[in-house]
Amino acid sequence: MGQPTAITDDQFESEVINSSTPVLVDFWAEWCGPCKAVAPTLVELAGDYDGRLKVVKVDVDENREAATRFGIRSIPSLLIFKDGAEVDRIIGALPKQQLAEKIDGHL
């Protein structure tokens, strides 16, 4: 079963930009309430899309480079990457159904 994987700035290129599979990147922080609220949904989505979508988490407090590179100003910010490019951006904790609709549009 798929699980969101925590990655660092150093892993961003290999895990996201160079991924052959579309990637949902969750920019989050430990102190962020809405981030914690959306976390169980991301676990479910990682399972639902296992093998078709990679789900990774980037802690913005520990990995400022990636957050700065993609202009993350509020969290949670969920970015969808396909073929190394950002194709969608979701700000805030949306319900699972809305997230799934966004994801489906890029698979």
Side-chain angles (χ1 to χ4, degrees), residues 4-44:
T5 307
I7 65 167
T8 64
D9 281 338
D10 292 341
Q11 297 169 299
F12 199 90
E13 197 76 22
S14 62
E15 292 293 323
V16 178
I17 303 301
N18 297 332
S19 176
S20 57
T21 308
V23 185
L24 174 67
V25 182
D26 173 24
F27 286 93
W28 72 287
E30 189 61 44
W31 48 264
C32 167
C35 298
K36 290 181 177 180
V38 79
T41 302
L42 295 177
V43 171
E44 286 180 35

Side-chain angles (χ1 to χ4, degrees), residues 42-76:
L42 295 177
V43 171
E44 286 180 35
L45 290 169
D48 293 349
Y49 290 95
D50 193 22
R52 296 184 297 148
L53 176 79
K54 188 189 304 187
V55 180
V56 300
K57 299 171 73 68
V58 176
D59 183 328
V60 297
D61 287 335
E62 295 175 10
N63 300 284
R64 297 183 187 279
E65 193 178 297
T68 301
R69 178 176 172 188
F70 293 100
I72 303 303
R73 302 219 185 320
S74 63
I75 52 174

